[in-house]
PDB file of all heavy atoms in Angstrom:
ATOM      1  N   HIS A 400      74.163 239.505 -12.709  1.00  0.00           N
ATOM      2  CA  HIS A 400      74.042 240.911 -12.337  1.00  0.00           C
ATOM      3  C   HIS A 400      72.734 241.113 -11.577  1.00  0.00           C
ATOM      4  O   HIS A 400      71.701 240.525 -11.923  1.00  0.00           O
ATOM      5  CB  HIS A 400      74.087 241.819 -13.566  1.00  0.00           C
ATOM      6  CG  HIS A 400      75.482 242.070 -14.055  1.00  0.00           C
ATOM      7  ND1 HIS A 400      76.156 241.167 -14.858  1.00  0.00           N
ATOM      8  CD2 HIS A 400      76.329 243.117 -13.856  1.00  0.00           C
ATOM      9  CE1 HIS A 400      77.365 241.640 -15.130  1.00  0.00           C
ATOM     10  NE2 HIS A 400      77.493 242.813 -14.545  1.00  0.00           N
ATOM     11  N   GLY A 417      70.828 229.527   2.020  1.00  0.00           N
ATOM     12  CA  GLY A 417      70.741 229.679   3.463  1.00  0.00           C
ATOM     13  C   GLY A 417      70.842 231.129   3.858  1.00  0.00           C
ATOM     14  O   GLY A 417      70.625 232.031   3.034  1.00  0.00           O
ATOM     15  N   PHE A 426      90.821 247.068  -2.070  1.00  0.00           N
ATOM     16  CA  PHE A 426      91.609 247.615  -3.177  1.00  0.00           C
ATOM     17  C   PHE A 426      92.964 246.909  -3.209  1.00  0.00           C
ATOM     18  O   PHE A 426      93.608 246.754  -2.155  1.00  0.00           O
ATOM     19  CB  PHE A 426      91.818 249.114  -2.966  1.00  0.00           C
ATOM     20  CG  PHE A 426      92.686 249.776  -4.007  1.00  0.00           C
ATOM     21  CD1 PHE A 426      92.117 250.355  -5.125  1.00  0.00           C
ATOM     22  CD2 PHE A 426      94.064 249.817  -3.863  1.00  0.00           C
ATOM     23  CE1 PHE A 426      92.913 250.971  -6.081  1.00  0.00           C
ATOM     24  CE2 PHE A 426      94.865 250.423  -4.809  1.00  0.00           C
ATOM     25  CZ  PHE A 426      94.292 250.998  -5.925  1.00  0.00           C
ATOM     26  N   PRO A 461      79.549 254.972 -11.948  1.00  0.00           N
ATOM     27  CA  PRO A 461      79.355 256.299 -12.533  1.00  0.00           C
ATOM     28  C   PRO A 461      80.676 257.020 -12.761  1.00  0.00           C
ATOM     29  O   PRO A 461      81.718 256.655 -12.207  1.00  0.00           O
ATOM     30  CB  PRO A 461      78.498 257.025 -11.491  1.00  0.00           C
ATOM     31  CG  PRO A 461      78.798 256.321 -10.197  1.00  0.00           C
ATOM     32  CD  PRO A 461      79.047 254.898 -10.562  1.00  0.00           C
ATOM     33  N   ILE A 469      80.958 257.215   1.073  1.00  0.00           N
ATOM     34  CA  ILE A 469      80.603 256.106   1.952  1.00  0.00           C
ATOM     35  C   ILE A 469      79.089 255.905   1.998  1.00  0.00           C
ATOM     36  O   ILE A 469      78.619 254.767   2.162  1.00  0.00           O
ATOM     37  CB  ILE A 469      81.176 256.322   3.373  1.00  0.00           C
ATOM     38  CG1 ILE A 469      81.085 255.038   4.207  1.00  0.00           C
ATOM     39  CG2 ILE A 469      80.482 257.496   4.073  1.00  0.00           C
ATOM     40  CD1 ILE A 469      81.926 253.894   3.703  1.00  0.00           C
ATOM     41  N   VAL A 490      77.692 240.856   7.198  1.00  0.00           N
ATOM     42  CA  VAL A 490      78.478 241.636   6.244  1.00  0.00           C
ATOM     43  C   VAL A 490      79.947 241.508   6.620  1.00  0.00           C
ATOM     44  O   VAL A 490      80.347 241.851   7.737  1.00  0.00           O
ATOM     45  CB  VAL A 490      78.043 243.113   6.235  1.00  0.00           C
ATOM     46  CG1 VAL A 490      78.805 243.883   5.164  1.00  0.00           C
ATOM     47  CG2 VAL A 490      76.543 243.222   5.985  1.00  0.00           C
ATOM     48  N   GLY A 513      75.458 240.427  11.813  1.00  0.00           N
ATOM     49  CA  GLY A 513      76.807 240.421  12.347  1.00  0.00           C
ATOM     50  C   GLY A 513      77.734 241.078  11.353  1.00  0.00           C
ATOM     51  O   GLY A 513      77.415 241.181  10.159  1.00  0.00           O
ATOM     52  N   ARG A 535     100.343 265.809   6.488  1.00  0.00           N
ATOM     53  CA  ARG A 535     101.280 266.288   7.506  1.00  0.00           C
ATOM     54  C   ARG A 535     102.084 265.138   8.113  1.00  0.00           C
ATOM     55  O   ARG A 535     103.263 265.295   8.432  1.00  0.00           O
ATOM     56  CB  ARG A 535     100.533 267.032   8.613  1.00  0.00           C
ATOM     57  CG  ARG A 535     100.000 268.404   8.203  1.00  0.00           C
ATOM     58  CD  ARG A 535      99.662 269.235   9.442  1.00  0.00           C
ATOM     59  NE  ARG A 535      98.711 268.561  10.309  1.00  0.00           N
ATOM     60  CZ  ARG A 535      97.395 268.664  10.202  1.00  0.00           C
ATOM     61  NH1 ARG A 535      96.872 269.435   9.245  1.00  0.00           N
ATOM     62  NH2 ARG A 535      96.584 268.040  11.033  1.00  0.00           N
ATOM     63  N   LEU A 567     101.771 244.519  -5.890  1.00  0.00           N
ATOM     64  CA  LEU A 567     101.010 244.839  -4.687  1.00  0.00           C
ATOM     65  C   LEU A 567     100.655 243.594  -3.886  1.00  0.00           C
ATOM     66  O   LEU A 567     100.743 243.590  -2.655  1.00  0.00           O
ATOM     67  CB  LEU A 567      99.752 245.616  -5.046  1.00  0.00           C
ATOM     68  CG  LEU A 567      99.950 246.984  -5.709  1.00  0.00           C
ATOM     69  CD1 LEU A 567      98.634 247.715  -5.809  1.00  0.00           C
ATOM     70  CD2 LEU A 567     100.964 247.820  -4.952  1.00  0.00           C
ATOM     71  N   PRO A 599     104.308 234.147  -4.336  1.00  0.00           N
ATOM     72  CA  PRO A 599     104.127 233.265  -3.173  1.00  0.00           C
ATOM     73  C   PRO A 599     103.237 232.085  -3.524  1.00  0.00           C
ATOM     74  O   PRO A 599     102.503 232.096  -4.524  1.00  0.00           O
ATOM     75  CB  PRO A 599     103.468 234.184  -2.141  1.00  0.00           C
ATOM     76  CG  PRO A 599     102.841 235.284  -2.938  1.00  0.00           C
ATOM     77  CD  PRO A 599     103.716 235.477  -4.138  1.00  0.00           C
ATOM     78  N   GLU A 604     100.196 232.679 -11.388  1.00  0.00           N
ATOM     79  CA  GLU A 604     100.092 233.532 -12.576  1.00  0.00           C
ATOM     80  C   GLU A 604      98.678 233.513 -13.135  1.00  0.00           C
ATOM     81  O   GLU A 604      98.214 234.502 -13.701  1.00  0.00           O
ATOM     82  CB  GLU A 604     101.101 233.085 -13.639  1.00  0.00           C
ATOM     83  CG  GLU A 604     102.548 233.391 -13.299  1.00  0.00           C
ATOM     84  CD  GLU A 604     102.873 234.888 -13.298  1.00  0.00           C
ATOM     85  OE1 GLU A 604     102.019 235.693 -13.731  1.00  0.00           O
ATOM     86  OE2 GLU A 604     103.980 235.252 -12.861  1.00  0.00           O
ATOM     87  N   TYR A 610      92.715 238.560 -12.358  1.00  0.00           N
ATOM     88  CA  TYR A 610      92.531 239.945 -11.924  1.00  0.00           C
ATOM     89  C   TYR A 610      92.638 240.908 -13.108  1.00  0.00           C
ATOM     90  O   TYR A 610      91.834 241.835 -13.252  1.00  0.00           O
ATOM     91  CB  TYR A 610      93.562 240.323 -10.853  1.00  0.00           C
ATOM     92  CG  TYR A 610      93.168 239.928  -9.455  1.00  0.00           C
ATOM     93  CD1 TYR A 610      93.868 238.939  -8.763  1.00  0.00           C
ATOM     94  CD2 TYR A 610      92.094 240.538  -8.812  1.00  0.00           C
ATOM     95  CE1 TYR A 610      93.511 238.581  -7.470  1.00  0.00           C
ATOM     96  CE2 TYR A 610      91.734 240.192  -7.533  1.00  0.00           C
ATOM     97  CZ  TYR A 610      92.437 239.203  -6.860  1.00  0.00           C
ATOM     98  OH  TYR A 610      92.075 238.854  -5.584  1.00  0.00           O
ATOM     99  N   GLY A 621      87.457 254.145 -11.037  1.00  0.00           N
ATOM    100  CA  GLY A 621      86.418 253.950 -10.018  1.00  0.00           C
ATOM    101  C   GLY A 621      86.992 253.592  -8.662  1.00  0.00           C
ATOM    102  O   GLY A 621      86.655 254.219  -7.647  1.00  0.00           O
ATOM    103  N   ASN A 624      88.592 256.512  -7.038  1.00  0.00           N
ATOM    104  CA  ASN A 624      87.603 257.517  -6.626  1.00  0.00           C
ATOM    105  C   ASN A 624      87.133 257.312  -5.188  1.00  0.00           C
ATOM    106  O   ASN A 624      86.682 258.269  -4.544  1.00  0.00           O
ATOM    107  CB  ASN A 624      86.405 257.506  -7.570  1.00  0.00           C
ATOM    108  CG  ASN A 624      86.661 258.304  -8.840  1.00  0.00           C
ATOM    109  OD1 ASN A 624      87.565 259.142  -8.889  1.00  0.00           O
ATOM    110  ND2 ASN A 624      85.865 258.055  -9.864  1.00  0.00           N
ATOM    111  N   ASP A 630      87.733 263.021   2.489  1.00  0.00           N
ATOM    112  CA  ASP A 630      87.308 264.220   3.220  1.00  0.00           C
ATOM    113  C   ASP A 630      85.797 264.401   3.145  1.00  0.00           C
ATOM    114  O   ASP A 630      85.166 264.844   4.118  1.00  0.00           O
ATOM    115  CB  ASP A 630      88.019 265.459   2.677  1.00  0.00           C
ATOM    116  CG  ASP A 630      89.449 265.584   3.203  1.00  0.00           C
ATOM    117  OD1 ASP A 630      89.827 264.821   4.112  1.00  0.00           O
ATOM    118  OD2 ASP A 630      90.187 266.452   2.690  1.00  0.00           O
ATOM    119  N   LEU A 635      80.202 263.924   5.584  1.00  0.00           N
ATOM    120  CA  LEU A 635      78.892 263.277   5.504  1.00  0.00           C
ATOM    121  C   LEU A 635      78.551 262.447   6.743  1.00  0.00           C
ATOM    122  O   LEU A 635      77.379 262.127   6.960  1.00  0.00           O
ATOM    123  CB  LEU A 635      78.834 262.379   4.268  1.00  0.00           C
ATOM    124  CG  LEU A 635      78.848 263.086   2.908  1.00  0.00           C
ATOM    125  CD1 LEU A 635      79.007 262.071   1.782  1.00  0.00           C
ATOM    126  CD2 LEU A 635      77.563 263.898   2.711  1.00  0.00           C
ATOM    127  N   HIS A 640      79.296 260.749  14.542  1.00  0.00           N
ATOM    128  CA  HIS A 640      80.565 261.019  15.225  1.00  0.00           C
ATOM    129  C   HIS A 640      80.632 260.262  16.550  1.00  0.00           C
ATOM    130  O   HIS A 640      79.793 260.441  17.431  1.00  0.00           O
ATOM    131  CB  HIS A 640      80.717 262.524  15.472  1.00  0.00           C
ATOM    132  CG  HIS A 640      82.048 262.906  16.055  1.00  0.00           C
ATOM    133  ND1 HIS A 640      83.213 262.868  15.327  1.00  0.00           N
ATOM    134  CD2 HIS A 640      82.403 263.304  17.299  1.00  0.00           C
ATOM    135  CE1 HIS A 640      84.228 263.234  16.086  1.00  0.00           C
ATOM    136  NE2 HIS A 640      83.765 263.501  17.295  1.00  0.00           N
ATOM    137  N   ILE A 666      92.994 249.149  17.411  1.00  0.00           N
ATOM    138  CA  ILE A 666      92.588 247.773  17.700  1.00  0.00           C
ATOM    139  C   ILE A 666      92.403 247.567  19.205  1.00  0.00           C
ATOM    140  O   ILE A 666      91.433 246.946  19.657  1.00  0.00           O
ATOM    141  CB  ILE A 666      93.616 246.788  17.119  1.00  0.00           C
ATOM    142  CG1 ILE A 666      93.597 246.892  15.580  1.00  0.00           C
ATOM    143  CG2 ILE A 666      93.319 245.357  17.564  1.00  0.00           C
ATOM    144  CD1 ILE A 666      94.687 246.106  14.894  1.00  0.00           C
ATOM    145  N   GLU A 667      93.316 248.111  19.995  1.00  0.00           N
ATOM    146  CA  GLU A 667      93.235 247.948  21.454  1.00  0.00           C
ATOM    147  C   GLU A 667      91.985 248.594  22.038  1.00  0.00           C
ATOM    148  O   GLU A 667      91.439 248.116  23.040  1.00  0.00           O
ATOM    149  CB  GLU A 667      94.479 248.548  22.104  1.00  0.00           C
ATOM    150  CG  GLU A 667      95.762 247.766  21.825  1.00  0.00           C
ATOM    151  CD  GLU A 667      97.005 248.558  22.188  1.00  0.00           C
ATOM    152  OE1 GLU A 667      96.849 249.691  22.722  1.00  0.00           O
ATOM    153  OE2 GLU A 667      98.119 248.063  21.936  1.00  0.00           O
ATOM    154  N   LEU A 676      82.166 243.266  20.090  1.00  0.00           N
ATOM    155  CA  LEU A 676      83.266 242.573  19.429  1.00  0.00           C
ATOM    156  C   LEU A 676      83.510 241.241  20.133  1.00  0.00           C
ATOM    157  O   LEU A 676      83.913 241.208  21.291  1.00  0.00           O
ATOM    158  CB  LEU A 676      84.525 243.436  19.457  1.00  0.00           C
ATOM    159  CG  LEU A 676      85.767 242.848  18.789  1.00  0.00           C
ATOM    160  CD1 LEU A 676      85.572 242.705  17.287  1.00  0.00           C
ATOM    161  CD2 LEU A 676      86.996 243.720  19.074  1.00  0.00           C
TER     162      LEU A 676
END
Side-chain angles (χ1 to χ4, degrees):
H400 279 81
F426 177 92
I469 193 65
V490 184
R535 288 197 303 271
L567 297 189
E604 289 292 351
Y610 276 112
N624 278 341
D630 281 351
L635 292 171
H640 185 72
I666 295 172
E667 291 166 4
L676 180 66

